[in-house]
Amino acid sequence: MLNNSTINKLNEMRLNAMADNYTNQLHDTSYDHLSFEERFGMIVDLEWSRRKNNKLARLMKKAGFRFYNACIEDVQYHEDRKLDRGQIIRLGSCNYIADHHNIIIMGASGNGKSYLSCAFGIAACRNYYTVRYVRLPELLDELTVARGEGIFQKVLNQYKKVNLLILDEWLLVPLRGNEARDLLELIESRHQINSTIFCSQFSPGGWHEKIGEGTLADAILDRIVHDSYKIFIDGKTSMRERYGIKE
């Protein structure tokens, strides 16, 4: 009865892994030779591991990655891509997030910008940072709707708080209407507070024209370029072509 009461209390406190392992130990004589400290340590370790795994699963699900299987260890360093392996590994440690710096990933369509950004994002999740992946056109549409519904600041705050924001298809097409103003609000809210990864087919020198608003473009670029590590992915053959269907 005492054992059942203890198990019930553990479950009520949502210490389910501890309850499960305690139950196993009660019915498995192989634990009998272990000391109390060893057995209790095993119970605590299992609960800790399960909680960490559950937290990682929640972070991964909430991030909304395009590539959920991306990882730094699987990045392809083909000679024509001209990637700096040391730089990728260093950034994969996520120190840039702790320092509130950004990453700009540049390259032609199909060269693997989205995959690499997701690999960095998943590395961040494994370090228990909050991450959000979003295509810039979708984000701008969301901010436009939010402004119209009077909840712009609420939506902006949600993006502001994310430790790592991945903006794919960055300035793929010129901005319209109030999008430059909304983008500046987003960049300013995160500047030197949290980190952002920008995936673009264009180098920062071409962003000014895409933003279109001279003063706003200057302000946006000033808050990004000077705090960002830059990665250029070259390649005579795109990754889509390299791993696509062969006829």
Side-chain angles (χ1 to χ4, degrees), residues 53-200:
N53 290 336
N54 289 342
K55 183 177 181 179
L56 176 58
R58 290 194 300 270
L59 289 171
M60 293 278 290
K61 182 178 180 180
K62 195 170 183 178
F65 293 117
R66 180 176 177 181
F67 298 102
Y68 278 95
N69 62 340
C71 65
I72 297 298
E73 294 79 9
D74 289 342
V75 172
Q76 300 295 306
Y77 296 96
H78 300 288
E79 185 176 353
D80 63 323
R81 302 189 82 194
K82 299 179 181 177
L83 286 173
D84 183 338
R85 185 190 296 266
Q87 181 190 36
I88 301 298
I89 293 174
R90 285 193 299 273
L91 292 174
S93 70
C94 299
N95 288 335
Y96 71 97
I97 300 178
D99 295 334
H100 312 307
H101 294 318
N102 309 309
I103 300 175
I104 299 173
I105 304 176
M106 299 165 282
S109 177
N111 274 13
K113 300 184 299 297
S114 299
Y115 180 93
L116 182 57
S117 70
C118 288
F120 284 134
I122 290 171
C125 285
R126 289 173 177 168
N127 282 275
Y128 303 103
Y129 287 112
T130 56
V131 182
R132 179 75 182 275
Y133 169 95
V134 64
R135 296 171 54 250
L136 181 63
E138 294 177 352
L139 173 59
L140 292 174
D141 286 345
E142 183 180 356
L143 292 177
T144 297
V145 171
R147 190 177 287 281
E149 294 179 350
I151 57 171
F152 179 84
Q153 197 60 47
K154 178 181 178 181
V155 173
L156 187 68
N157 285 338
Q158 293 173 354
Y159 283 101
K160 174 183 177 180
K161 294 176 182 178
V162 176
N163 297 137
L164 176 63
L165 177 62
I166 301 173
L167 296 177
D168 207 350
E169 298 183 10
W170 171 258
L171 298 177
L172 184 62
V173 297
L175 300 184
R176 303 166 298 174
N178 293 322
E179 289 179 341
R181 180 184 60 171
D182 291 347
L183 194 57
L184 176 59
E185 291 287 338
L186 173 66
I187 298 303
E188 169 60 25
S189 71
R190 298 181 54 78
H191 181 53
Q192 296 183 340
I193 297 175
N194 281 310
S195 299
T196 307
I197 295 179
F198 304 89
C199 299
S200 178

